Amino acid sequence: MQEGREYNTVILAALLGKMLKLMPSLKSIVLSKDLLEKLSVIIDKNLFKELVAENTNTNNQFILFIRHLLNCAEEYASIENKLPFQHISNGHSIPLASTFSYLQLDKPLNKTKFYKFQQLSPDNGFPVNEEEVDYKDRDVLMQKFESDFLDMVEKLKPTSFDIFYTHLTVLLQKYLWCIPLNTDGEGSDIGWFDYLKNTAAIAACLYKYYWDIQDFDVSPINEGSKQQFILLVGDFSGIQRYLFHISSTGAGGIAKRLRARSFYLTVLSEAISHKILHEFDLPLLNIVMASGGNFYILLPNTEQAEHRIKKLQQSFDEWFLDQYGGELSLNLAHTSFSGTDFKQFGNVLNRLSGQLGKKKSRPLFDCLVDASGKWNEEKFIRAFEGKKDLGLCQGCGKNLAEKMTESWALCEHCSKDLHMGRLLPKARYITFSRASASGKGFFPLLDGYSFRLWSEVPTTDETIYLAVKLNDTNCKELFEFPASFRYIANYVPTAKEGDKADYSDHEMPKDIVYDFDHVAARSIGRELLGYLKADVDYLGSLLIFGLMDEKRNLNTISRISTLSRMLDIFFSGWIHQTVQNEFPNCYIVFSGGDDLLIIGPWNETIELSKKINDAFRKFTADNLNITLSAGIAFAKPKIPVSVVVKQAEEKLECSKEEVDCLSEEGSRNQLTAFNETVKWNRVETLLKDAKLLADWLNEDHISSGFVHNLTIYNTIFKRYQKYGESYGLRFLPLLCYDIVRNLPPIDDKDPQKRLVRLWAEELKDIHGQRMNFLGFITGYALNANRR
């Protein structure tokens, strides 16, 4: 048997089979003589017709086996949906419900929200009330899908299966992400795209599993009890240290290199997942989840699977040790499971989390320890023979410098970062190759893999195995390549026409990336940077336990992968376009998966944090079980990045651990800034107070000395507030004395002066919001002081 073409046929039947049964117009296109003849180069057209046909009788045991395999894959992808399917354009039916509406830990659920029938985009990922959905949009969307499908099959030259199925997957995600699998309420939160993608991934694994053992008996598949699958996770160790431990803020352009390092790690993670798939001969569809620098891959539990994973780990360890000297490493962990475990996929993730914890406790183990269990001492010595005598790298201060770049002596990594940082602002495409490459826009990865950044449509190259379009779902210009799209938050502020260089009247070159001095100079008042760090609270628990329900089985692979994909669309897509359009002075270091780090003018990072949280609430269906915490640290632009990032992490930790002093809701779902931890619902009011105080300070209605004193009184008050020390109540007579001495009387004829006095009088209320979070208000006002 010709395994390659049959294998392709199984994957394509899994991707399209159910859709063809529900869409007669699409079925006639796919099963047309011309298209099948065109596809016969890459699939077995007769087998394909047998697999997608309805009510056909055959005694062919292999065809019966593959049909059973596909049926099991369909069931595992949406294990509880056994009700009859309805045609998606018949009658009135509910739209796709947001899976976020069903996540629950300890808070009650709100009203279910639904998605409009729209093409995939970050703006269209916000669910709404059901009555806001226009059902006419559904048919329009499906017509666009069919139109683009026709355009694809007409223009595409299916010389490789990878080209055909990747472009098909692009269309499925673009148009069918918001079409519910079931339209009668049961399973209406599972979209067609996630269902079909997971069906194809499971079918590919089942085919590989049974091909490996050469057993085509139907019964083992139906049992669902064999450990036929492996879920593998890849996770980096040392990211924070590698990203932020840059010794000098000036050498080599820290802004460019910092962003480039973050981007490179994202691309490296993606390339590693590709290498694993290539090793197992699996499609990209088998990446179940990928975001924030880690990935989950569905593998067949074949006889050689364990050995292959071990060999991969060893090769990755060798490469990371050679390239990064142990500073950065990749941990692979895996667990096997059966088909029935798909209905409790969170339990599989839980087991895998435990395995990953063990692997992370001993990074590079497979490289540093020999077969006898002893340390491989030679691996602890780095060879520097043949290196140029340029001293230590002026960028990182850790490696030997290898070349002079713009008067800086930089190592290979820092030089690469600087080159990449220049290209990133204009990058629109990434191409991945299974070949070493060099030259403008090319960057090496591992084991001969490389990638290239393109500002224009890539040119044909037979070594390219994947072309990725950034932040745009239209991939029609990439029909020469296997293709996909990806949202990546890669915005950096660049000089606009007429921008002046700081401290001079000279214009900056257009499109040059701002350095941190330029970013800080766009602050109001003091020229400071704000480091905004944020992530989702309890995400691991939400993915593992949030969909466990006694009434219905919600803990399935399609729902969990949907949650991960939608979160990444928010953090990678929505945040990218929001910063680009509304906060153009801010610099995205990274944003993806479930966390972010953004550097910008200090005042803009506060406004941005509120904007992000408000949007996150709407994006996650106003479900209080899924929340965001953030911390902001402020610093001068010359302070080393690693120092301020650590401070931002400490602020974020405060948001997760400390309790808002006036709240009864506990920790998390908070912002920490100016040494105050506050619930998000207070931020708007506190900002109004802070801006009001800043205006009075700048207009000379109050003195900076008075505001500094308020900060001192707040510190004294915290002694009482936090520790119950009566000494802390000394703030009250001190405050009263200062108000009388420095502010106008409460009956002053000037209304503005009366307002100032009344505002200050409210500070005497020790239970009031203004006094309890006065540090936030005064911190903002003093930073905003233009004098």
Side-chain angles (χ1 to χ4, degrees):
M1 291 185 290
Q2 299 179 22
E3 183 198 358
R5 290 171 70 242
E6 287 167 355
Y7 177 49
N8 296 344
T9 306
V10 170
I11 294 172
L12 187 60
L15 269 178
L16 278 178
K18 186 68 71 173
M19 286 298 298
L20 298 186
K21 295 174 183 177
L22 301 178
M23 296 179 62
S25 56
L26 184 65
K27 183 176 182 179
S28 62
I29 296 169
V30 173
L31 295 181
S32 66
K33 183 178 179 181
D34 290 344
L35 181 57
L36 286 176
E37 199 61 41
K38 195 175 183 180
L39 294 177
S40 63
V41 179
I42 55 176
I43 66 169
D44 183 327
K45 63 180 182 180
N46 293 322
L47 176 60
F48 182 73
K49 286 193 291 185
E50 286 283 353
L51 294 178
V52 301
E54 297 179 11
N55 302 322
T56 58
N57 296 317
T58 179
N59 294 321
N60 185 308
Q61 290 300 304
F62 182 71
I63 293 176
L64 289 173
F65 173 81
I66 297 298
R67 281 185 181 172
H68 280 287
L69 182 153
L70 290 175
N71 287 337
C72 286
E74 290 170 359
E75 180 183 351
Y76 295 159
S78 182
I79 201 121
E80 87 284 29
N81 286 290
K82 298 180 180 179
L83 297 176
F85 291 94
Q86 298 178 5
H87 192 290
I88 57 177
S89 37
N90 278 345
H92 180 81
S93 56
I94 67 173
L96 180 69
S98 169
T99 304
F100 290 118
S101 290
Y102 301 131
L103 282 173
Q104 188 169 22
L105 291 178
D106 58 355
K107 294 181 175 62
L109 296 177
N110 293 325
K111 182 180 178 182
T112 301
K113 296 290 185 73
F114 299 85
Y115 295 107
K116 293 182 178 181
F117 296 104
Q118 296 174 319
Q119 296 180 32
L120 182 66
S121 76
D123 284 338
N124 293 340
F126 289 81
V128 298
N129 294 322
E130 185 180 356
E131 54 269 21
E132 298 177 59
V133 178
D134 188 342
Y135 289 89
K136 295 177 183 178
D137 293 338
R138 179 184 52 194
D139 292 330
V140 173
L141 191 66
M142 298 312 297
Q143 289 168 9
K144 288 181 179 178
F145 170 69
E146 287 193 22
S147 174
D148 271 14
F149 183 85
L150 277 170
D151 187 55
M152 181 189 77
V153 298
E154 180 183 337
K155 296 178 180 177
L156 206 62
K157 297 177 182 178
T159 53
S160 81
F161 181 68
D162 288 347
I163 292 179
F164 187 79
Y165 94 80
T166 55
H167 280 276
L168 173 60
T169 304
V170 166
L171 295 186
L172 292 174
Q173 183 172 1
K174 182 178 179 179
Y175 292 109
L176 303 189
W177 73 277
C178 60
I179 305 294
L181 178 60
N182 265 342
T183 57
D184 50 14
E186 186 69 25
S188 61
D189 63 315
I190 299 175
W192 269 102
F193 167 70
D194 291 287
Y195 166 72
L196 294 172
K197 174 183 177 295
N198 289 320
T199 297
I202 295 169
C205 286
L206 285 173
Y207 183 90
K208 286 291 183 182
Y209 178 84
Y210 286 103
W211 182 270
D212 184 68
I213 62 177
Q214 287 291 300
D215 182 359
F216 303 113
D217 182 17
V218 171
S219 58
I221 302 181
N222 287 340
E223 288 174 10
S225 57
K226 283 191 174 183
Q227 303 283 298
Q228 302 155 324
F229 304 95
I230 286 175
L231 186 64
L232 178 143
V233 61
D235 184 87
F236 282 114
S237 286
I239 286 181
Q240 300 287 326
R241 183 172 60 247
Y242 173 69
L243 267 183
F244 304 119
H245 190 70
I246 300 175
S247 64
S248 172
T249 59
I254 187 173
K256 297 185 184 71
R257 290 190 293 117
L258 185 59
R259 182 65 196 94
R261 283 191 174 197
S262 173
F263 180 83
Y264 181 77
L265 289 178
T266 299
V267 175
L268 179 60
S269 174
E270 191 156 338
I272 289 171
S273 67
H274 297 165
K275 179 176 173 59
I276 295 170
L277 292 173
H278 293 155
E279 180 69 23
F280 281 84
D281 188 26
L282 291 168
L284 293 175
L285 301 163
N286 282 65
I287 300 176
V288 177
M289 297 182 284
S291 60
N294 58 25
F295 53 81
Y296 292 79
I297 298 177
L298 190 65
L299 301 173
N301 191 14
T302 59
E303 185 177 343
Q304 291 296 312
E306 292 270 355
H307 176 70
R308 286 178 177 176
I309 293 171
K310 184 173 180 61
K311 292 289 288 184
L312 284 165
Q313 181 71 79
Q314 288 175 340
S315 69
F316 293 149
D317 284 354
E318 292 279 356
W319 186 81
F320 276 98
L321 186 62
D322 177 65
Q323 292 292 312
Y324 299 100
E327 183 179 33
L328 193 65
S329 61
L330 177 82
N331 305 294
L332 297 180
H334 64 282
T335 186
S336 59
F337 65 101
S338 68
T340 55
D341 289 329
F342 279 107
K343 66 181 178 181
Q344 292 294 340
F345 198 66
N347 292 341
V348 179
L349 289 176
N350 196 21
R351 293 203 306 270
L352 187 57
S353 177
Q355 295 294 332
L356 180 60
K358 295 176 183 178
K359 293 288 289 188
K360 292 178 75 171
S361 68
R362 50 180 195 174
L364 302 172
F365 178 87
D366 291 279
C367 177
L368 297 176
V369 177
D370 61 25
S372 65
K374 297 181 179 180
W375 290 115
N376 191 340
E377 295 179 2
E378 292 182 359
K379 296 295 183 180
F380 289 85
I381 302 173
R382 299 188 72 184
F384 291 108
E385 294 85 354
K387 301 286 185 180
K388 296 181 180 179
D389 187 18
L390 296 174
L392 281 177
C393 171
Q394 291 177 276
C396 64
K398 293 175 291 187
N399 303 312
L400 288 181
E402 296 195 17
K403 62 173 66 175
M404 294 297 297
T405 305
E406 297 179 3
S407 75
W408 296 304
L410 301 178
C411 66
E412 178 185 356
H413 294 298
C414 289
S415 178
K416 173 194 67 183
D417 293 341
L418 187 60
H419 177 40
M420 194 185 310
R422 292 194 188 99
L423 298 177
L424 273 173
K426 294 184 179 181
R428 295 178 56 221
Y429 305 91
I430 310 171
T431 54
F432 291 89
S433 300
R434 294 180 72 175
S436 299
S438 60
K440 184 179 180 181
F442 282 100
F443 300 95
L445 290 165
L446 73 168
D447 295 342
Y449 283 68
S450 62
F451 75 96
R452 183 177 179 181
L453 297 174
W454 303 77
S455 59
E456 303 293 337
V457 179
T459 54
T460 304
D461 181 347
E462 63 181 13
T463 68
I464 294 175
Y465 68 83
L466 181 65
V468 179
K469 190 168 185 180
L470 301 181
N471 301 323
D472 190 343
T473 61
N474 185 356
C475 297
K476 291 183 178 181
E477 71 274 31
L478 298 175
F479 281 150
E480 295 291 324
F481 312 96
S484 69
F485 64 87
R486 178 161 184 179
Y487 292 107
I488 292 184
N490 64 341
Y491 176 78
V492 293
T494 55
K496 311 301 186 293
E497 195 75 45
D499 276 2
K500 302 290 184 182
D502 292 335
Y503 314 114
S504 77
D505 292 328
H506 298 294
E507 286 192 8
M508 295 176 65
K510 187 180 178 183
D511 293 332
I512 190 172
V513 176
Y514 287 161
D515 61 25
F516 286 163
D517 286 308
H518 287 101
V519 174
R522 278 143 185 84
S523 302
I524 62 170
R526 298 181 66 192
E527 294 185 359
L528 297 174
L529 293 174
Y531 285 64
L532 168 61
K533 209 166 190 303
D535 64 23
V536 178
D537 299 320
Y538 298 121
L539 182 61
S541 297
L542 284 164
L543 292 178
I544 294 171
F545 306 112
L547 291 170
M548 291 185 177
D549 192 299
E550 296 178 357
K551 298 179 181 178
R552 282 202 309 162
N553 172 29
L554 303 176
N555 200 353
T556 59
I557 184 173
S558 291
R559 288 189 174 93
I560 291 174
S561 61
T562 297
L563 288 172
S564 175
R565 180 175 59 80
M566 293 303 293
L567 281 174
D568 194 58
I569 286 175
F570 179 83
F571 280 93
S572 297
W574 184 88
I575 285 180
H576 170 88
Q577 68 180 32
T578 299
V579 172
Q580 182 179 41
N581 296 333
E582 300 181 38
F583 298 86
N585 295 319
C586 290
Y587 190 105
I588 301 176
V589 179
F590 62 78
S591 183
D594 74 312
D595 64 348
L596 60 87
L597 173 63
I598 299 175
I599 302 173
W602 72 266
N603 55 296
E604 291 190 23
T605 55
I606 299 173
E607 301 283 355
L608 177 58
S609 70
K610 182 182 180 303
K611 176 87 175 180
I612 290 173
N613 182 69
D614 289 347
F616 187 72
R617 295 260 35 82
K618 295 177 182 177
F619 196 88
T620 55
D622 292 316
N623 186 343
L624 292 177
N625 289 278
I626 178 167
T627 57
L628 194 72
S629 288
I632 307 177
F634 307 106
K636 294 179 180 179
K638 297 300 184 185
I639 303 296
V641 171
S642 57
V643 173
V644 193
V645 168
K646 185 176 181 180
Q647 292 173 359
E649 289 173 347
E650 290 170 354
K651 306 292 185 188
L652 175 58
E653 194 63 26
C654 287
S655 292
K656 293 188 176 292
E657 299 299 331
E658 293 190 8
V659 178
D660 177 315
C661 58
L662 297 182
S663 173
E664 297 179 357
E665 297 178 15
S667 59
R668 289 174 165 77
N669 191 24
Q670 302 178 124
L671 169 69
T672 298
F674 304 110
N675 296 319
E676 295 280 9
T677 298
V678 300
K679 290 294 181 185
W680 285 109
N681 57 13
R682 302 188 195 281
V683 173
E684 185 173 359
T685 304
L686 291 174
L687 269 177
K688 287 180 180 177
D689 258 3
K691 291 176 181 178
L692 189 62
L693 188 61
D695 288 341
W696 291 338
L697 187 58
N698 287 315
E699 294 166 6
D700 258 352
H701 293 302
I702 54 175
S703 67
S704 58
F706 177 74
V707 178
H708 277 293
N709 286 346
L710 291 183
T711 304
I712 295 171
Y713 303 150
N714 177 254
T715 303
I716 298 173
F717 171 65
K718 295 294 184 185
R719 298 279 297 274
Y720 168 77
Q721 181 195 63
K722 287 189 174 183
Y723 310 113
E725 296 181 8
S726 57
Y727 169 85
L729 290 175
R730 286 182 63 246
F731 92 91
L732 195 53
L734 293 172
L735 173 63
C736 292
Y737 174 77
D738 218 340
I739 289 175
V740 172
R741 186 169 181 265
N742 292 293
L743 296 184
I746 201 165
D747 57 353
D748 195 284
K749 294 180 179 180
D750 187 332
Q752 185 66 55
K753 292 181 179 179
R754 285 202 308 273
L755 181 61
V756 173
R757 178 60 181 264
L758 289 170
W759 184 92
E761 288 290 334
E762 287 189 24
L763 295 173
K764 298 174 183 178
D765 180 6
I766 64 173
H767 302 295
Q769 177 171 284
R770 188 170 293 164
M771 187 64 227
N772 278 273
F773 303 105
L774 186 57
F776 185 101
I777 298 169
T778 58
Y780 185 101
L782 290 170
N783 276 350
N785 187 5
R786 293 189 292 269
R787 297 177 183 275

